[in-house]
Amino acid sequence: MYVLGISCYYHDSAACLLKDGRIIAAAEEERFTRKKHDNSFPKKAALYCLKEAEIAIDKIDYIAFYEKPLLKFDRLLSQYLESFPKGFWSFYKALPSWLHEKLRVPSMMKKHLKYKGEILFVEHHMAHAASAFLVSPFDEASIFTIDGVGEWATASIGVGKGSDITIAKEIVFPNSLGLLYSTVTAHLGFKVNNDEYKVMGLAAYGKPSYYDSLKKLIRIANDGSFQLDMSYFDFHYKMTMPSKKFIKEFGPIRKRESNIEQRHKDLAKSLQKITEEIIFKILNDLYKKTKIRKLCMAGGVALNSVANGKISRSTSFKNIFIQPAASDAGTAMGTAFYAYNTILKNKRKQILEHVYFGPGYTREEIKSFLDFKKINYSELSDSDILKKSAELIYQDNVIGWFQGRMEWGPRALGNRSILANPLNPKMQDILNAKVKHREMFRPFAPVVTWEDAKDYFDVDREVPYMLYVYPVKKEKRQLIPSVTHVDGSGRLQTIKRKQNQKYYDLIKEFERLSKVPILINTSFNIRGEPIVCTPEEAYRCMMGTGIDYLVIDNFLIARKENPKHMWNSESIAKD
Amino acid sequence: MREVFPKIKKLLMKLSEFITSIVNFILLIPIFIIGIGLTSLFLKLFGKHFLDLKSKTKNSYWVDKNLSTQKLEKYYRMF
Ligand SMILES: [Fe+2]
């Protein structure tokens, strides 16, 4: 039986295909359209899934959609009805797309995929819950989902048992921790639904001096549930988020390219403190209710890796599973599993053990691309490519590492990664100058072999998806300065050989040279673009930036040995 | 000519987007005023609120949901 999960029209559109309850393929639409956080119908992602399974659309038994569109439309109309006469511009912007697309999901399936079969609609937070629980290693778990907003819900708690999920309670719009986080993100001059992780990074530099002021915006009950004071917000009827009262309280909105001042850092820190307070209160109360120590989490706020890293210390939950694509992309996977396991009552067969579900390329395909483009390259043996790559990284070169199938979710985890030497204290500057052009307050992340992780980090679990921040051990901070954040933490990835053999072996080769089993791992992309998907995108990215070498499969390509033609990818970089 | 055609096509696309936005604007104003406005004013007269915007202290802001597996037919619905 084939089930195709689809999420779209809000942000991070995606498709995920199951065959008899196991993942065949899953990918975000942005990787194909090259439009970051693309929210359009995921036609290309869905067609890729079909291609991977070598089937036509008529073989699909069910398409599962990630929300109930009419319930969401009901919420939207309620916003306009409540705030009339305000809200016209938002109404004018939103309504045409609702009438053309969002309320006509079956027609869109027909138009884009020529699909005329059964469509199942799953509530949004149920799809989030399923995205974590149904692919977790747990038979039974407490479940917590939290995001900006779905139909009406912005957070939910419940329990998963076997193939069934019960959502016991929810918090509803306009009360939303995700939207509070986004409002502060907008106020700090960052992009909403894109830059929330920058606010989290900035928080490490601040003091929580706005904590009491922020508390005026949000009432928090003892069980962690919360209510926003809507006089500080405009998002229920406007495209902008902070209200005049918000600006009066926290100062003017920062202009995007202007300096980041201490007050910005302090506001970010205060917000992070409140976010953690709410999450831990909710989780502690959830445990009291369920008495189940295993926890599954999903929803955009579950990407807050700083909070995630503290869950086991601050709550009773010791076993935690978070969907790696915790934002709305993950609901394509969640709704597909919910359809197969829960609605159609089939046994659970999939435990997520890696995220390499995207497109991959054979040696022949890569070679013919390189030959066709007349690119200078050398092809090495399996062992030589590892030795050579490790050597190049040890010599402070920046490497584009392109292997196997693309990652599912927002993080590059060793198949579409840029790798560099974490021992060089200047490597953050080098990476920023050559390719990433990040704000200086944002650290780079380390990947470490699992058996060595505890020597370098205060880590208590495997963290293969970069969803948790843990302290770097005090005595090691000097050794790996370029992956140690200002507060002494690192958002690490642990890797076992069975998860990604070549990546693991490369780190071990690097250890042979450096005595340290750690690399810098950052996503392989041009600033402001999605992570590269194809060999051509990887090559273009290298040629337009300062990446020194590209390793695709066993092919080694040096930037210096190739003319800078094709395109200047830096000239189109945006953030 | 090959370079000119895409430019003309782009220009026409922009023009059609502009016309669509004007038509939408003209159509949506009466819908907003009559459909949304009158409904809103009328129901508010009877004390109806569409969103809970009032800040009140409560012991908990959780709302009971109790949603578990339903019959297959329910999932065919868009609501
Ligand atoms: Fe969501």
Side-chain angles (χ1 to χ4, degrees), chain A residues 59-331:
Chain A
K59 288 277 177 290
I60 298 290
D61 297 282
Y62 292 93
I63 284 185
F65 197 65
Y66 83 125
E67 66 178 10
K68 297 266 193 186
L70 281 173
L71 291 183
K72 197 178 206 172
F73 191 59
D74 170 54
R75 189 249 301 162
L76 208 72
L77 285 182
S78 300
Q79 288 174 235
Y80 299 128
L81 287 164
E82 183 61 36
S83 49
F84 183 85
K86 291 186 274 185
F88 174 72
W89 287 111
S90 160
F91 177 82
Y92 162 70
K93 285 251 164 87
L95 203 73
S97 69
W98 272 96
L99 299 178
H100 288 139
E101 288 185 296
K102 297 177 186 174
L103 287 174
R104 301 171 58 228
V105 174
S107 308
M108 291 301 114
M109 301 287 182
K110 218 183 267 177
K111 179 182 163 190
H112 294 296
L113 300 176
K114 304 203 175 1
Y115 179 77
K116 295 171 197 156
E118 317 262 21
I119 303 171
L120 303 173
F121 296 89
V122 176
E123 277 196 35
H124 186 65
H125 275 256
M126 188 60 96
H128 271 312
S131 78
F133 176 64
L134 294 176
V135 296
S136 76
F138 312 141
D139 283 335
E140 187 181 56
S142 306
I143 301 176
F144 175 40
T145 65
I146 182 157
D147 66 0
V149 60
E151 295 92 357
W152 278 94
T154 67
S156 78
I157 48 173
V159 167
K161 273 185 189 158
S163 295
D164 286 311
I165 296 172
T166 301
I167 291 182
K169 289 172 188 290
E170 61 183 19
I171 294 172
V172 295
F173 187 87
N175 304 309
S176 164
L177 182 59
L179 291 176
L180 169 66
Y181 214 99
S182 293
T183 303
V184 176
T185 301
H187 186 260
L188 292 176
F190 299 115
K191 247 192 211 165
V192 169
N193 286 337
N194 186 52
D195 291 348
E196 279 75 2
Y197 64 101
K198 291 184 186 175
V199 176
M200 189 182 72
L202 190 62
Y205 293 84
K207 292 192 184 75
S209 52
Y210 287 100
Y211 176 77
D212 290 332
S213 306
L214 269 179
K215 273 282 189 87
K216 291 184 204 164
L217 279 60
I218 187 163
R219 246 182 251 261
I220 307 170
N222 287 336
D223 61 7
S225 62
F226 52 85
Q227 183 186 50
L228 297 182
D229 179 340
M230 290 309 292
S231 61
Y232 288 94
F233 303 92
D234 279 352
F235 60 72
H236 53 299
Y237 66 90
K238 245 182 170 178
M239 308 307 256
T240 53
M241 301 190 82
S243 72
K244 279 184 188 150
K245 195 171 168 186
F246 188 105
I247 291 163
K248 208 173 158 195
E249 185 74 37
F250 298 104
I253 294 173
R254 186 182 78 90
K255 291 211 170 71
R256 282 196 72 198
E257 297 306 325
S258 68
N259 277 343
I260 293 176
E261 298 165 19
Q262 190 56 41
R263 67 186 179 93
H264 299 126
K265 298 170 186 171
D266 292 346
L267 181 56
K269 178 69 178 182
S270 310
L271 174 69
Q272 184 62 28
K273 189 177 170 185
I274 284 198
T275 302
E276 290 172 18
E277 181 183 329
I278 290 172
I279 291 175
F280 303 150
K281 273 188 170 177
I282 289 179
L283 291 179
N284 280 320
D285 181 67
L286 177 60
Y287 175 70
K288 265 191 223 157
K289 289 184 168 107
T290 65
K291 296 277 183 260
I292 303 170
R293 267 185 208 282
K294 291 166 186 159
L295 172 69
C296 287
M297 268 175 69
V301 181
L303 287 172
N304 193 308
S305 48
V306 174
N308 295 346
K310 297 175 186 171
I311 291 176
S312 55
R313 266 177 289 154
S314 309
T315 75
S316 307
F317 293 110
K318 304 299 167 206
N319 260 325
I320 307 162
F321 181 86
I322 303 175
Q323 159 64 234
S327 75
D328 279 2
T331 56

Side-chain angles (χ1 to χ4, degrees), chain A residues 62 68-71 77-82 84-89 91-92 95-96 103 106 118-121 123 126 152 155-157 164-171 173-174 219 221 223 225-227 230 236 282 338 342-343 345, chain B residues 18 20-26 28-41 43-44 48-79:
Chain A
Y62 292 93
K68 297 266 193 186
L70 281 173
L71 291 183
L77 285 182
S78 300
Q79 288 174 235
Y80 299 128
L81 287 164
E82 183 61 36
F84 183 85
K86 291 186 274 185
F88 174 72
W89 287 111
F91 177 82
Y92 162 70
L95 203 73
L103 287 174
E118 317 262 21
I119 303 171
L120 303 173
F121 296 89
E123 277 196 35
M126 188 60 96
W152 278 94
S156 78
I157 48 173
D164 286 311
I165 296 172
T166 301
I167 291 182
K169 289 172 188 290
E170 61 183 19
I171 294 172
F173 187 87
R219 246 182 251 261
D223 61 7
S225 62
F226 52 85
Q227 183 186 50
M230 290 309 292
H236 53 299
I282 289 179
Y338 192 78
T342 312
I343 303 175
K345 304 193 188 310
Chain B
F18 178 69
T20 311
S21 67
I22 300 234
V23 172
N24 282 346
F25 186 80
I26 293 166
L28 289 179
I29 277 193
I31 296 176
F32 188 70
I33 293 172
I34 298 165
I36 301 289
L38 287 185
T39 315
S40 167
L41 293 174
L43 290 175
K44 276 183 184 170
K48 166 87 180 159
H49 279 286
F50 303 91
L51 282 187
D52 188 10
L53 297 178
K54 289 261 156 49
S55 194
K56 299 168 241 144
T57 307
K58 289 186 194 169
N59 285 334
S60 176
Y61 301 99
W62 287 113
V63 177
D64 284 336
K65 179 79 172 168
N66 295 323
L67 177 69
S68 33
T69 316
Q70 297 170 292
K71 284 192 178 141
L72 179 64
E73 304 84 76
K74 295 234 173 172
Y75 295 99
Y76 289 116
R77 291 185 193 160
M78 286 170 57
F79 56 90

